[in-house]
Amino acid sequence: MGLPPPAPLLLGLLLLLDVLRPLWGDLVFIPAFIRMTGPAVSASLVGGTEDVTVSLALLQDKEGLLPTPACGALTNETGDWSLTVTPSVVRPESALDVTVRLKRGLQGCSANETDPFSEPPCIVQTLLVSASHNSSCLAHLLIRVGIYANSSSARNASENVTVIPNQVYQPLGPCPCNLTAGACDVRCCCDQECSSNLTGLFREACFTGVFGGDVNPLFDQLCSAQGAPEAPGWFPFLCVQSPLANSPFLGYFYHGSVSSRPQASAEVYLHTDLRDFSDFGYKQGDPIMTVDKAYFTIPQVSLAGQCLQNAPVAFLQNFDVQCTTSLEVSQEQDGIINAKIKNGVLGGIVTPRVIYQEATDPDKFITRTETLLSNGSAPRNVNVEEHYIFRWNNNTISDISVKIIRVAINAHQKGIMTQRFTVKFLSYNSGDEKEFSGNPGYQLGKPVRALNANRVNNVTTLHLWQSAGRGLCTAATFKPILFGENALSGCLLEVGTSENCTQLRENAVELLDSLIQATHVAMRGNSNYNDPSDGWVEIIRADAPDTDTGADPSVSVNGICTDIPARLNVRILSSDAGAVEGIAQQEILGIETRLSLVNWQFQCGLTCEDKADLFPVSASVQFIKIPAQLPRPPTRFQINFTEYDCNRNEVCWPQLLYPVTRYYQGEPYSQCMAKGLLLVSFFMLAVFLGSPWARTCQV
C-alpha cells in the first residue's frame, strides 16, 4: 500500500488549518450582525483578545443597502453612541463583552399613542464595531439600528406606573397573559397596553380561561353554575349564593411574604397592610412576630434548594438546614441580641438568651480559603452554627435560648463557608435531651430513639454521615436516623501506604460501628429511657466480622485486601399498632445491622509514592412495614355507584352518621352506639312531648 501524493496532502492540511483557525486564535464577533430596537445591545468578541483595540464608527448607507464592512471607513464621529468593552465573566482570558449604548433619550421623537407602529422608526442608523491589532482589522460587528418613538425604553419610569395589588387578596394576577411591559402582547385581549386597532387584529383568537384574563372562574358550589351538565339533581338545595370576588381560589397562589435585604439581619419588615394576630396567641404554622411588627427570620432552604436569608420562623415547626455562602458577602449577625419577640399575649415580650462559643475546628466549616494581604486589619467573627430552642406553653412562647458557634477570621479572607441553622420547639416543662419522637407511636421524620445499656448515660441516637468539603470521614458530621425515611450516606477513609489489611479492617469496622453506638431501640416514640422494659427491642448485629483471625496482616502478592467492611446496612421493621383519635400509631418491631464486605486494592499508579489512597465506606437505612398491607378490593357497590365513593367525591354519603360508623376510631364502637341510641331516645321523647302530640292528649 503506497503513500498519497504530497501535493494533495499538503493542500488538505492547509484547508484544515484555515477551517480550524477561528477555534484557537482568530477573532470573531458572536453574533456578527445585530438588528437593534432598544437603547443597548451586547455581543461577544471571542479569540485572541490580547492587545486588541475595539472601535465604533457610524456608517452611511445608501438606498437602504447595508454597506460592506471595511477598516477604511472608520471615523471617530460616533455621535450619540457609546462603546463599552469589559472582560467576559465566563472566559475572561479569551473573550470580551462589547456593549453599544444610546447616550441620549428619545424625548425629541413624536409618538402616535393610538397606533404605535403606523409611523417610521425615530432612529435609523448603521453602526460598525471593529476589532484591530497594530492597524490591522481582524473582525467586524454590523449593527442595524431601528428604534421607534414609543418603545417601552423611551418612556420614563414615572410616566407609566403599574399598581400591583396585594396578592394575598387576589385569586390570580389581573391579566396573566400580559408578559411584556410597555408593549402589546398578541392574542392577550385583557392587555391594557393594546390599542383598539391592535386588538381588532386578533380579537377572534384571544386566549381563553385563566391565562386569558378570566381570573374569577365559576366554582362548582356556586348557584349560578347549576347549568353545568354534570350538576346533580340536589344541587339547588346545597349551592352557595356568593359574589365572584369571594372566590375559593383567593390567595391560593400566594406562598408567603419573603423579601430580600442587602444586609443580613434577624428580622424583615412586613408590608404596611399585614395583619398581626400574635397578641391573641400563636397557632401552629403562624409566623413569629417581633415588637416592631416584623417577622423573626432565620436563614432557611427553599424548595428550589436556595438559601433564603430572611425566611420567617413558623410556630411549632422544627428545621435543621445548612447554607453555603461566600466569606466576602457574609456579615456579622448580632441582631438576635437586641431582638424582642412577642410571646403570644397582649403586651408580652420575650428576649432571647444568647450564648457564644468558639469553633474547635474552623476548617470543617470554611473551605477554599485565601487570605489577602492587609495593613493590620482587625479580625472579624462569622457565625458558623446557630441553634435556637423555643419553649412553648399552650399557644404562647415562654423562653428562647440561642447558642451561636462562631469563628474568628481575617478581615479580608476569602473562601466558602457552610453555616448550620437549627430551630427546635420544646414544651416548657420538658428536658433538653428527652424529647419524644411521638406519643405514643412514632411520627414520620422524628429521630429514632435508642439507648446503650452498657453506659451510665444510656441516652443515644442512631446516626448517619453528613459529608462536607472533600467528603473525608474525619471531617464528616453526624445526622440522626429519622423514622420512616430511607437514607444513604457515605464518606472517604484515608488509607496510607504503610497500613496493612488487618489495620484497614479494624479502621473500617470502628468507623462503621461509630454510627450505631446503641444496644436497644425504642418501640414507641415515648418509651422511657430509665425503664428498659418499657418497649425497647435489642439491636440484632448479623455477621459481625472478626478482625482478630490470626491471619497474615501483610497484603497478598497482587496487593489486594479481601473481606474489608465497606457498607453498613440497617433494616428496621415497623407496623401499625392501632389508632388514637383516628390517627394511626406506628411502632418499631425489630432492627438489624449487617456489614457488607468487599475486596479492595491500593491504587498508586506507576509508582507508589508516600501518599494516601481513599477507601469509600457507606451506610444505608431501610424501613420495612409489616405485614404487607395490600389495598382493600372495592366492593360491588363502590364499582357500580361511583357517586357514593368517598375517595372520588367531596360529599361522602356513607359517612353521613360518622360517629356511629366504622370510620370513626376515636372511641370504642360500643360506646359510640350507646351514645347514638341515647341521642335517638332524647329525640323521640322530644317529639312525643311536643306538638301535635300534646294537643292530641289534651283533646
Side-chain angles (χ1 to χ4, degrees), residues 251-420:
Y252 184 75
F253 298 91
Y254 179 74
H255 297 289
S257 176
V258 178
S259 59
S260 59
R261 299 173 63 184
Q263 69 275 8
S265 174
E267 60 183 9
V268 56
Y269 292 99
L270 301 177
H271 200 269
T272 55
D273 62 348
L274 186 74
R275 294 174 293 179
D276 181 14
F277 297 106
S278 60
D279 293 332
F280 304 98
Y282 290 102
K283 295 184 298 183
Q284 184 176 6
D286 288 349
I288 297 178
M289 308 297 297
T290 63
V291 294
D292 300 327
K293 290 189 177 297
Y295 285 140
F296 178 72
T297 62
I298 296 175
Q300 301 178 40
V301 177
S302 65
L303 296 178
Q306 299 176 347
C307 189
L308 304 178
Q309 295 295 327
N310 297 317
V313 178
F315 185 65
L316 295 181
Q317 290 188 0
N318 304 339
F319 62 84
D320 186 350
V321 299
Q322 288 188 346
C323 293
T324 303
T325 182
S326 175
L327 289 176
E328 297 177 336
V329 299
S330 65
Q331 299 181 1
E332 298 184 18
Q333 300 179 357
D334 294 333
I336 185 63
I337 300 179
N338 302 322
K340 296 182 179 180
I341 301 172
K342 293 184 178 181
N343 64 351
V345 181
L346 185 61
I349 298 176
V350 178
T351 302
R353 296 181 291 105
V354 184
I355 300 176
Y356 289 96
Q357 293 183 2
E358 300 296 331
T360 57
D361 188 8
D363 296 336
K364 185 173 64 174
F365 306 98
I366 302 176
T367 58
R368 295 164 54 185
T369 58
E370 178 183 353
T371 304
L372 301 180
L373 297 178
S374 58
N375 298 326
S377 300
R380 63 188 181 99
N381 294 323
V382 292
N383 300 341
V384 294
E385 288 189 8
E386 296 182 9
H387 305 277
Y388 298 80
I389 297 179
F390 291 80
R391 297 285 181 176
W392 60 273
N393 183 8
N394 200 1
N395 57 353
T396 62
I397 299 175
S398 60
D399 182 70
I400 301 175
S401 60
V402 184
K403 184 175 70 173
I404 297 178
I405 301 177
R406 58 186 181 181
V407 174
I409 61 174
N410 189 279
H412 302 279
Q413 186 172 348
K414 294 184 178 181
I416 302 300
M417 177 177 58
T418 302
Q419 295 176 302
R420 182 186 178 189

Side-chain angles (χ1 to χ4, degrees), residues 329-607:
V329 299
S330 65
Q331 299 181 1
E332 298 184 18
Q333 300 179 357
D334 294 333
I336 185 63
I337 300 179
N338 302 322
K340 296 182 179 180
I341 301 172
K342 293 184 178 181
N343 64 351
V345 181
L346 185 61
I349 298 176
V350 178
T351 302
R353 296 181 291 105
V354 184
I355 300 176
Y356 289 96
Q357 293 183 2
E358 300 296 331
T360 57
D361 188 8
D363 296 336
K364 185 173 64 174
F365 306 98
I366 302 176
T367 58
R368 295 164 54 185
T369 58
E370 178 183 353
T371 304
L372 301 180
L373 297 178
S374 58
N375 298 326
S377 300
R380 63 188 181 99
N381 294 323
V382 292
N383 300 341
V384 294
E385 288 189 8
E386 296 182 9
H387 305 277
Y388 298 80
I389 297 179
F390 291 80
R391 297 285 181 176
W392 60 273
N393 183 8
N394 200 1
N395 57 353
T396 62
I397 299 175
S398 60
D399 182 70
I400 301 175
S401 60
V402 184
K403 184 175 70 173
I404 297 178
I405 301 177
R406 58 186 181 181
V407 174
I409 61 174
N410 189 279
H412 302 279
Q413 186 172 348
K414 294 184 178 181
I416 302 300
M417 177 177 58
T418 302
Q419 295 176 302
R420 182 186 178 189
F421 302 92
T422 64
V423 169
K424 183 184 297 184
F425 285 85
L426 300 178
S427 178
Y428 73 100
N429 56 359
S430 64
D432 295 336
E433 302 296 338
K434 295 183 179 181
E435 182 185 2
F436 289 162
S437 296
N439 188 20
Y442 274 100
Q443 294 182 6
L444 294 178
K446 290 291 186 178
V448 176
R449 296 160 61 89
L451 64 83
N452 191 343
N454 300 326
R455 297 189 312 186
V456 177
N457 184 14
N458 57 0
V459 179
T460 184
T461 309
L462 307 182
H463 295 99
L464 290 175
W465 286 301
Q466 190 167 2
S467 302
R470 297 173 53 195
L472 299 179
C473 297
T474 55
T477 57
F478 292 120
K479 61 180 180 180
I481 294 178
L482 304 180
F483 181 81
E485 296 184 4
N486 299 334
L488 176 64
S489 66
C491 61
L492 299 175
L493 175 62
E494 290 185 313
V495 182
T497 56
S498 60
E499 298 183 14
N500 52 44
C501 295
T502 301
Q503 187 176 359
L504 177 59
R505 293 191 190 96
E506 294 177 353
N507 295 338
V509 171
E510 181 181 0
L511 188 63
L512 294 173
D513 285 344
S514 64
L515 300 177
I516 311 295
Q517 292 290 330
T519 58
H520 294 77
V521 169
M523 295 180 60
R524 303 184 304 273
N526 63 348
S527 297
N528 189 3
Y529 282 106
N530 299 324
D531 187 5
S533 62
D534 184 22
W536 293 89
V537 294
E538 186 176 0
I539 299 177
I540 302 175
R541 301 179 183 269
D543 296 336
D546 187 7
T547 57
D548 298 330
T549 58
D552 187 5
S554 60
V555 298
S556 59
V557 178
N558 53 4
I560 298 178
C561 292
T562 60
D563 298 336
I564 305 298
R567 182 167 182 171
L568 175 64
N569 302 300
V570 181
R571 296 190 299 177
I572 301 177
L573 305 180
S574 63
S575 67
D576 292 337
V580 176
E581 296 183 358
I583 301 176
Q585 303 295 316
Q586 301 185 58
E587 66 178 12
I588 294 177
L589 301 180
I591 177 173
E592 180 195 59
T593 63
R594 185 183 299 270
L595 294 176
S596 299
L597 309 178
V598 298
N599 297 332
W600 183 74
Q601 183 179 11
F602 193 93
Q603 302 293 334
C604 58
L606 298 178
T607 59

